[in-house]
Amino acid sequence: MEQDFEKIFQDKVDREIRIEPKDWMPEKYRQTLIRQISQHAHSEIIGMLPEGNWITRAPSLRRKAILLAKVQDEAGHGLYLYSAAETLGITRDQMYEQLHTGKAKYSSIFNYPTLSWADMGVIGWLVDGAAIMNQVPLCRTSFGPYARAMVRVCKEESFHQRQGFEILYVLSKGTEAQRRMAQDAINRWWWPSLMMFGPKDDESPNTIQSMKWKIKRFSNDELRQKFVDVCAEQVKVLGFTLPDKDLKWNEERGHYDFGEINWDEFWQVVQGNGPCNKERLDARKKAWEEGAWVRDAALAYANKKAKQKQAAA
Amino acid sequence: MATTKNEIDFLLHLADNALIIGHRNSEWCGHGPILEQDIAITNIALDYIGQARNLYQHAAELINQHTDKIELTQTGKDISLPVTEDSLAYLRDVVEFKNLLITEIPNGDWAQTSLRLFLLSQFQLELFTQLLKHEDPQVAAIAEKSIKEISYHVKWSQDWVLRLGDGTEESKRRMQNAIDAIWAFTGELFIQPEYATAACLNYAAIQTAWNQKVSAIFEEAGLVIPAKTFVQKGGATGMHTEHLGYILAEMQYLQRAYPNSEW
């Protein structure tokens, strides 16, 4: 019986029919999606912090308004994604719990510090750019609620990426100090951005199954190569450089060759030893713990009002 | 010309209020108690930054039209002409800011943040409604646009005053503490600055309406207005608390550290 269900399920996936929350699905598919969607939601929420760090210091009122709107968008993305994950039978509170205890991960990129205004540009250009590469294929992912959430997320992300590039473009036309600021930010964020695509294909244990289920459509290395190819050209428009002496166009492959990623650093950050892992998680735990009385009060008030309404009816 | 000078000062007063309360609310972004509310307060911050921009832009326009008559700063440090929304926000110092003290005091907890917004936005709603009749059509237009946003701020913050006042014992205690802490800053709302000379303004009427609405909500929530307190005042004329200096140090850092740059 189970085998029949599994066959029908895979058949639907193969025919590009979306899987919906009430459809039968293999338990492992459900768990994989919960892990991936919640990790994605957590990344949006933790991702508010490094950029939130510059809202009060944005250098003009226009930049301040744009940055506020952008960070608010990220909160909104977190909201859709938590809702999508909830359709799989987990609550938002359970997901928070997993984040706060370290059981659930989030994108390691947000464990790096934002040291200058140029970081706001680079996060938009490189970090959101890498996220878009990862996320555009997810608009066609096999699980319906996730795919639909991603359509909206991707629209907003492409606006974020453009505004990031524009910040850098203005800096590139600015003073010597501004150009130095921008190049320094690119130097710090380039390698961590490449790491956003995850481990190399031969070290990515979940890839094959996820591709069969059409949760994932391209491998980590394929997407990473595409990202390098795009950025190597865009950086020329800015008149800056990417910090990789091995970066070189390879005529034969039709791609840029690039240097070896420091995988030791990648795994260190994943394991919690990045420069800001503790600060990021502490900030979220603090918001959650200090907000407990607010949530309790809201619930108590809603219950009171519901009772009063009942009594009046 | 005195009229223009007064209008510019009044616009700066309104703009500074919006900028500083926007700044304070934006400090919550990423740290709110509930994700939906994090989004709401960030949105409110964004509304205020938008209002500040409209007001500064209009003030800048008037200043640039009357450069010969207007003293730009009291500290003798020149803001170069023509002025812009950004030079007004980023290059004036504490004593030149005209915001009300209630906008600059720290956020405190969620009770203090929502209460402050309730008391302020209720005041702004009355004030901006009067400004609809301002003789400068640009001011009236800015008021009209702002009222749409402020009405939402009133509703959002009023709901929190009710929820916390009538929620749990702890939330009631915290809301009452917030009232006790902030009340001394409410008297300043109704002191008409001497540059607030527009014919449409009637601060006594604002105070009456404000008292009625605030009392009604407090009564519904079971909250108590403190017995007579001293009125803290001076913001509108540049006499601030120590908090404003730190807000400006943070906010103006890039413009000060990298002068004459485009961002």
Side-chain angles (χ1 to χ4, degrees), chain A residues 50-51 54 63 67 70 74 109-110 112-132 157 160-172 178-194 196 227 231 234-235 238 240-243:
Chain A
E51 288 175 284
W54 280 88
R63 292 291 181 202
L67 186 60
K70 176 179 192 284
E74 282 153 13
I109 193 80
F110 302 118
Y112 290 86
T114 51
L115 302 181
S116 78
W117 171 251
D119 290 31
M120 299 303 99
V122 175
I123 287 182
W125 176 44
L126 294 181
V127 176
D128 293 334
I132 292 170
E157 287 297 346
H160 295 174
Q161 199 211 4
R162 279 204 301 278
Q163 70 85 36
F165 192 81
E166 200 248 341
I167 288 176
L168 291 176
Y169 189 76
V170 171
L171 292 177
S172 78
Q178 286 177 305
R179 281 194 294 276
R180 263 203 313 272
M181 186 190 281
Q183 181 64 60
D184 166 70
I186 292 170
N187 294 349
R188 281 182 289 109
W189 289 92
W190 172 247
W191 291 104
S193 300
L194 290 190
M196 285 177 72
F227 180 70
C231 294
Q234 288 177 340
V235 78
L238 296 172
F240 296 129
T241 56
L242 298 174

Side-chain angles (χ1 to χ4, degrees), chain A residues 39-202:
Chain A
Q39 183 171 323
H40 191 167
H42 297 325
S43 301
E44 298 283 357
I45 301 305
I46 297 270
M48 295 169 73
L49 300 171
E51 288 175 284
N53 184 35
W54 280 88
I55 288 172
T56 55
R57 291 180 288 169
S60 72
L61 295 177
R62 175 172 166 266
R63 292 291 181 202
K64 190 189 287 286
I66 294 172
L67 186 60
L68 264 169
K70 176 179 192 284
V71 180
Q72 189 194 20
D73 281 350
E74 282 153 13
H77 298 172
L79 202 53
Y80 322 144
L81 289 163
Y82 283 127
S83 305
E86 282 184 312
T87 66
L88 292 159
I90 185 168
T91 66
R92 207 200 295 180
D93 285 5
Q94 285 170 322
M95 289 184 265
Y96 282 151
E97 170 78 18
Q98 291 177 350
L99 173 67
H100 298 158
T101 56
K103 188 178 169 228
K105 299 283 180 222
Y106 56 87
S107 181
S108 278
I109 193 80
F110 302 118
N111 291 316
Y112 290 86
T114 51
L115 302 181
S116 78
W117 171 251
D119 290 31
M120 299 303 99
V122 175
I123 287 182
W125 176 44
L126 294 181
V127 176
D128 293 334
I132 292 170
M133 289 277 171
N134 273 325
Q135 291 171 3
V136 165
L138 289 175
C139 299
R140 295 187 294 127
T141 199
S142 58
F143 185 57
Y146 192 23
R148 289 188 288 272
M150 290 317 298
V151 171
R152 194 160 163 193
V153 170
C154 284
K155 274 187 197 152
E156 294 179 349
E157 287 297 346
S158 72
F159 161 73
H160 295 174
Q161 199 211 4
R162 279 204 301 278
Q163 70 85 36
F165 192 81
E166 200 248 341
I167 288 176
L168 291 176
Y169 189 76
V170 171
L171 292 177
S172 78
K173 304 279 170 220
T175 63
E176 187 50 37
Q178 286 177 305
R179 281 194 294 276
R180 263 203 313 272
M181 186 190 281
Q183 181 64 60
D184 166 70
I186 292 170
N187 294 349
R188 281 182 289 109
W189 289 92
W190 172 247
W191 291 104
S193 300
L194 290 190
M195 295 177 198
M196 285 177 72
F197 296 92
K200 280 192 278 199
D201 289 349
D202 48 17

Side-chain angles (χ1 to χ4, degrees), chain B residues 52 55 73:
Chain B
L55 293 158
T73 69

Side-chain angles (χ1 to χ4, degrees), chain A residues 45 48-49 54-65 68-69 71-72 75-76 78-79 82 92 96 117 170-171 175 177-178 181 283-284 287-288 291 293-298 300-301 304-305, chain B residues 19 23 26-27 29-36 38-39 42-43 45-46 49 53 56 85-86 89-90 109-111 160 162-164 166-168 170-171 174 220 250-251 253-255 258 261-263:
Chain A
I45 301 305
M48 295 169 73
L49 300 171
W54 280 88
I55 288 172
T56 55
R57 291 180 288 169
S60 72
L61 295 177
R62 175 172 166 266
R63 292 291 181 202
K64 190 189 287 286
L68 264 169
V71 180
Q72 189 194 20
L79 202 53
Y82 283 127
R92 207 200 295 180
Y96 282 151
W117 171 251
V170 171
L171 292 177
T175 63
Q178 286 177 305
M181 186 190 281
R284 287 312 311 163
W288 182 248
W293 71 271
V294 179
R295 295 189 298 276
D296 290 347
Y301 182 79
K304 250 185 234 181
K305 288 288 137 183
Chain B
L19 179 62
H23 182 101
S26 80
E27 291 172 352
C29 181
H31 306 277
I34 301 167
L35 185 51
E36 285 83 346
D38 201 311
I39 294 174
T42 303
N43 201 51
L46 193 51
I49 300 304
R53 293 188 68 188
Y56 283 131
E85 56 169 353
D86 286 328
Y90 288 90
D109 61 9
W110 194 250
W160 274 109
L162 288 169
R163 225 175 258 141
L164 297 180
D166 193 17
T168 60
E170 179 178 6
S171 70
R174 283 174 180 265
E220 189 181 337
E250 190 173 340
M251 184 171 77
Y253 140 71
L254 279 166
Q255 289 269 356
Y258 301 89
S261 305
E262 291 291 321
W263 299 96

Side-chain angles (χ1 to χ4, degrees), chain A residues 273-304:
Chain A
N273 301 320
C276 299
N277 291 60
K278 186 168 173 350
E279 283 91 333
R280 300 293 185 238
L281 212 47
D282 283 352
R284 287 312 311 163
K285 284 195 264 192
K286 182 167 181 280
W288 182 248
E289 283 158 16
E290 290 183 0
W293 71 271
V294 179
R295 295 189 298 276
D296 290 347
L299 190 64
Y301 182 79
N303 288 340
K304 250 185 234 181

